[in-house]
Amino acid sequence: MSDSMNNLSDNIADNQPEWVPLSLTLVEYPQGDWLGKCLAMISLLPFAIGSGFVTLILFRKDLHTIVFFFGTLLNEVLNVALKHAICEPRPLLRNVNNLYNEYGMPSSHSQFIWFFASYMAYFIFLRLHLHSRNDSIDPSKEYIGKSVVALGCIVLALVVSYSRIYLQYHTWRQVTYGAFTGIFFGSFWFGIVHIFLTPLFPIVVSWKIAEFLLIRDTTLIPNILWFEYTIIRKESQLRSRKLASMKSQ
């Protein structure tokens, strides 16, 4: 009887599907290593960026944000294709049985974060205009502000890339190739968006489906935050005056 039960348990275990973790959220670090723990948390930054994209798209519905996010998805598809084409294993120190993908060339984290950093650098210096209030902001201060943001993106990219080496998920070579691939594809995608897709935005937002989904194009608005602030403030003041007028009658 016990042998039958054991055989039944073995058959059930054999028929069970293999459970695998999502590669983006799989992060291990040496126990007691505070630096490794910090780097493990920082290596989750691509996941946070992806969540931020989804949040912005749902609440702001800006067309440029949508195509930027679509570029990150294409970047991930390219990474998977390269990994399965090159088939270079991860460092031998890693237990590949605990990893979603045993291939490590190029590093997906490195490629993702450098795609994001390079695209953001182009966007900040070529498309983002911080001036408002009739250009009252000093251009030199605006340039410094842009440089600080761009440098911050690059520093984060460097730290995320180093975390993958420190935590022994990738070799220097895999991370370096991932960075170059991300920079190349980020530059390529920004060129596609800036030259070919942006002129089509006014046409896309005029579609019925875009109107139904409230998709908008803010390309020609210099400072969207200042624009929304002034519009809301004026509307609030107008409604306050109307309310006060109705109460006085």
Side-chain angles (χ1 to χ4, degrees), residues 241-249:
R241 287 194 294 267
K242 287 183 178 180
L243 183 61
S245 176
M246 293 175 60
K247 290 182 177 180
S248 63
Q249 292 178 355

Side-chain angles (χ1 to χ4, degrees), residues 62 64 67 119 121-130 146 190 193-195 197-198 201 217-222:
D62 177 61
H64 185 265
V67 296
Y119 192 100
Y122 287 118
F123 177 79
I124 289 170
F125 287 106
L126 297 181
R127 292 193 55 163
L128 182 62
H129 302 287
L130 301 179
K146 291 181 177 181
F190 181 83
V193 173
H194 188 63
I195 298 173
L197 298 184
T198 299
F201 285 177
D217 174 25
T218 60
T219 304
L220 299 179
I221 300 177

